Structure formats: C-alpha cells, structure tokens
Amino acid sequence: MELLLAPSGRSGVPPFIVMDVMAAAERIEAAGGHVIHMEVGQPAAAAPKPALDAAAAALRGGRIDYTSALGIVSLRQRIARHYRESYGCAVDPDRVVITTGSSGAFILAFLAMFDPGDRVAVTIPGYPPYRHILTALGCEPVLIETSSETRHALTGEALLAAHRKAPLKGVLVGSPANPTGTMMSREALTGLMAAAEGAGIRFISDEIYHGLDYAFPAVTAAELSPHALVINSFSKYFCMTGWRVGWMVVPQPLVRPIERLQQNLAISVPTLSQIAAEAAFDGAEEMEAIKRGYLENRRILIEGLPRAGLTRFLPADGAFYLYADVSEFTSDSLAFAKTMLEKTHVAATPGVDFDPLHGRNFIRFSYARSADDMREAVTRIARWLA
Ligand SMILES: Cc1ncc(COP(=O)(O)O)c(C=O)c1O
C-alpha cells in the first residue's frame, strides 16, 4: 500500500520558502498582529483600472470560452506593439505566446528547448523555481555563482568555464534580477548572449521586472537576437499577480512545438485574464505612478536600513528587492527571518531560498508595499537590532 502512495522522485523539489514565510505571517495576522509584508514580491496595488473594467465588461457578456493555445490574437499583437513602443524593437506577433504567468512560460520553454538530462545554467543567487522546475522536468540545473563585483551579472567567461567542465544546453538569466534587484547593462547582456550563441547554448531571458528599472532602461534580449527566448509577465509592472497571465517571445522554430505543448497541457490561458491583460496596457499612467512609489520605498530603505544596522546591500537598479548581507548577525538566515518575524512582525525572505551556497548569510526585502510600511519596518528593525 505504501508503494502505491509514494510520490515520484521528481516531485521531491524543495519548497519555495517565501511561501512558508507568508504562511507564518498569516498565522500572526490571524492572532491579531500587524505584519509588514516584505517577504513576497507582490505589488500592493490592484490591476490598472482599464484591466478591471475590461474584465468586468467581459463577465457581463456571459460566455468565457477557450482561446487558441497561443493566446488571443489581439493581445499578441498588443504585446508586439509594446516591443515597438517601449524598446524600438520589431517583434512578429506570431512569435508571441500567451502563458499562465511567467511560471507557465518556464514549463513550456523548458519542455520545448530541453530533454531530460540536459544541463541548464542558472545563476545563484537566483529565483528558486528556475532550478526546481528544471529538476522536476528531469533537467540538471547548473548553478553558477555571481558576486557583487559584477553586480551579480553572469559573464560570458563564467558561462563558458562551466560549459567546458560539462556541456550546457541552455542558460537562463533575469534582469532586473530577483533577489538582488541588479540589472545587466546592454554590454553585459550582449557579451553574455554572444558567448552563449557562439558555444551553441540556448538563451532564455526572464524579463518579468522590465518596466521597474530605475538605474537605466532595461534591454530586452528580443532586440539582441531572434534566437533568444524571452519570458515576461503581467504580474509585476502591471500589478496582476493573481490573474496568472504572462507571455513569451519565442524563436520562430519553437512556435509550433510550444503551441502543441500548450494545447495538451493547458488548452489555453484563462480568457478573462487575457482580456484584462490587453487592456492593462492602457493603464500606463497608473503603473508609472506605482513605479514612482517603489522608487520612494527604495530611497527609504537605502537610507533607513543602514541606520537600523543593516549596511551591506547593493542599491538595487530595478525590481523591488534589496538583498542584504546579514552575516555580522547570523549564519542562519532562516532562523534570523523567523526571529525577525516573531519579534518585529516584519516578514522577509531568508537567502537560503535563493542561494544554497551563501544564502544563509542573506535576507531579501521586497519593497512593493506602501512608503508608510517601509518607514515602519525600518523603525521596528532598528529597535530590534539595537
Ligand atoms: C524572477 C521571477 N520570475 C518569475 C516569477 C513568476 O511570476 P509569475 O508566474 O507571476 O509571472 C517571479 C515571481 O516572483 C520572479 O520573481
């Protein structure tokens, strides 16, 4: 009987610890505590009004049918227009695929590009599901360490060094990055992509934090090569996490394989969310105002955390994260985050989620909530660390 109930080996992926921290925070809230949520990378704002209006109108219309597997054509066209307007980059709408968030995109991309056993490079610190999804699909995530010296940008040299040890089939990078908030310059991205292409390594660019760039405009890999696979989402800049809608720009030869995979795995992406997503592009003013809020939050933390005792972090270029080195206080970031949550009711994510090697020395703060929350968090942490 036990054998019948045993889960598969591939399902034994580690938890996404941030979700566990959220659950602990919820328990404190259920007992009446006021938690400041700096653990989860989730905008405090609702979806932009045009998105909400479009969804409400569609609901009133009654039927919500399947869409085609690649997504609603007008949404794919609108995304192609976004590349033209935001990056000056021509993208054929046929290469745009709508996905169930960028999370759904990773599954489709990995299935379409890699076979079981293929080695795929990801950076650490980095977004944990990259490596966990690869593992669940039978691929081998190859962890390449980045450091603050390159502002956590993966270099072509580091990629090729890993490739020489054992051949890589692919590489995935994100910029602006989670958890460090650092960004790759145009030169750094161009150099890395050239190194990858030269060595026959497939390139995936996670651009989910595009739009939330403060240091300099983010560069899309779609502009640099038609062979790159670009992943993006409505979750962050567009404030639509729970709508579960994202997109990919895929190399032409992968369009049909991905269409076949999506047909079989999901049929299509939720229709209501696709309708709302298309309208979200009309909410630019709202989203830019929210972005200015993040910029202010970033300022409050960059000035406030050092006064509170946390001095060692890179001033993030984008996204809404700061990744602080807390090694002068602990070598167990999981226990540190747990105690901080209990004592201060400030929830943050332990670095072990992002980096199995050095994460025990780091804590990630998300600053996607209100400025008042940021000020209050700094005050609480200062009192605790004092
Ligand atoms: C770097 C990165 N990529 C992808 C995702 C997944 O986002 P979604 O599936 O909501 O698009 C996240 C979520 O936090 C993220 O931080």
Side-chain angles (χ1 to χ4, degrees):
M1 195 59 188
E2 249 170 48
L3 264 182
L4 288 178
L5 299 176
S8 67
R10 67 164 93 191
S11 67
V13 293
F16 190 7
I17 294 172
V18 65
M19 309 301 283
D20 289 350
V21 177
M22 274 170 76
E26 273 164 23
R27 284 194 292 275
I28 292 176
E29 283 170 329
H34 169 220
V35 175
I36 299 182
H37 287 277
M38 301 180 78
E39 78 283 32
V40 63
Q42 170 149 269
K49 188 164 181 305
L52 297 175
D53 289 346
L59 271 183
R60 277 193 302 274
R63 287 188 60 139
I64 301 287
D65 293 331
Y66 292 134
T67 71
S68 66
L70 294 174
I72 294 176
V73 170
S74 57
L75 172 58
R76 297 168 67 202
Q77 287 168 340
R78 184 64 191 81
I79 290 169
R81 187 178 133 200
H82 168 66
Y83 280 88
R84 203 167 56 245
E85 291 174 352
S86 300
Y87 305 97
C89 159
V91 165
D92 182 345
D94 287 350
R95 291 176 53 213
V96 177
V97 180
I98 309 304
T99 59
T100 314
S102 61
S103 303
F106 295 130
I107 298 169
L108 291 170
F110 296 164
L111 284 171
M113 296 170 100
F114 309 125
D115 285 308
D118 281 349
R119 291 163 42 84
V120 181
V122 293
T123 56
I124 50 167
Y127 181 60
Y130 296 154
R131 36 183 217 277
H132 300 164
I133 298 171
L134 283 165
T135 305
L137 294 178
C139 301
E140 186 188 338
V142 177
L143 311 186
I144 304 184
E145 273 186 71
T146 61
S147 70
S148 52
E149 279 92 74
T150 61
R151 295 187 68 74
H152 294 286
L154 177 62
T155 61
E157 297 83 71
L159 180 73
L160 295 180
H163 187 56
R164 276 193 297 274
K165 276 193 205 148
L168 295 167
K169 188 72 175 284
V171 58
L172 188 168
V173 295
S175 168
N178 179 5
T180 56
T182 49
M183 284 170 61
M184 292 182 80
S185 66
R186 175 177 288 271
E187 295 69 39
L189 187 62
T190 308
L192 177 65
M193 289 177 68
E197 278 198 27
I201 301 169
R202 295 166 173 217
F203 194 84
I204 303 177
S205 179
D206 180 358
E207 302 185 353
I208 184 169
Y209 292 104
H210 275 219
L212 302 177
D213 42 4
Y214 317 116
F216 51 88
V219 179
T220 175
E223 181 192 331
L224 302 177
S225 168
H227 309 303
L229 187 144
V230 172
I231 293 180
N232 207 324
S233 172
F234 289 91
S235 289
K236 310 293 175 166
Y237 177 71
F238 297 87
C239 304
M240 294 178 69
T241 48
W243 296 78
R244 310 307 304 130
V245 57
W247 75 85
M248 296 190 278
V249 178
V250 310
Q252 193 67 53
L254 293 185
V255 173
R256 181 64 183 153
I258 286 174
E259 182 175 28
R260 290 194 304 262
L261 285 163
Q262 179 101 288
Q263 286 168 346
N264 284 282
L265 289 173
I267 299 186
S268 61
V269 172
T271 307
L272 196 60
S273 298
Q274 294 192 59
I275 292 168
E278 188 175 339
F281 284 103
D282 297 331
E285 259 176 48
E286 265 179 72
M287 292 173 309
E288 285 301 308
I290 290 162
K291 177 179 177 174
R292 286 193 291 278
Y294 299 148
L295 200 56
E296 172 62 1
N297 290 352
R298 174 178 174 266
R299 189 193 61 76
I300 293 168
L301 293 186
I302 288 176
E303 287 175 18
L305 286 179
R307 276 192 312 230
L310 299 177
T311 53
R312 293 157 68 183
F313 56 85
L314 290 176
D317 306 317
F320 33 55
Y321 304 114
L322 286 177
Y323 196 54
D325 182 337
V326 291
S327 56
E328 57 191 299
F329 301 101
T330 186
S331 57
D332 182 350
S333 58
L334 195 59
F336 186 85
K338 197 164 168 269
T339 311
M340 187 168 79
L341 177 60
E342 280 162 11
K343 302 270 188 225
T344 70
H345 291 184
V346 175
T349 306
V352 284
D353 219 6
F354 309 100
D355 181 347
L357 296 180
H358 307 295
R360 61 185 189 283
N361 295 325
F362 289 86
I363 292 282
R364 186 197 74 175
F365 293 98
S366 166
Y367 52 86
R369 301 277 162 153
S370 71
D372 282 347
D373 270 3
M374 298 304 113
R375 279 187 278 268
E376 175 64 20
V378 167
T379 306
R380 290 185 191 184
I381 294 169
R383 211 179 296 138
W384 175 53
L385 289 179

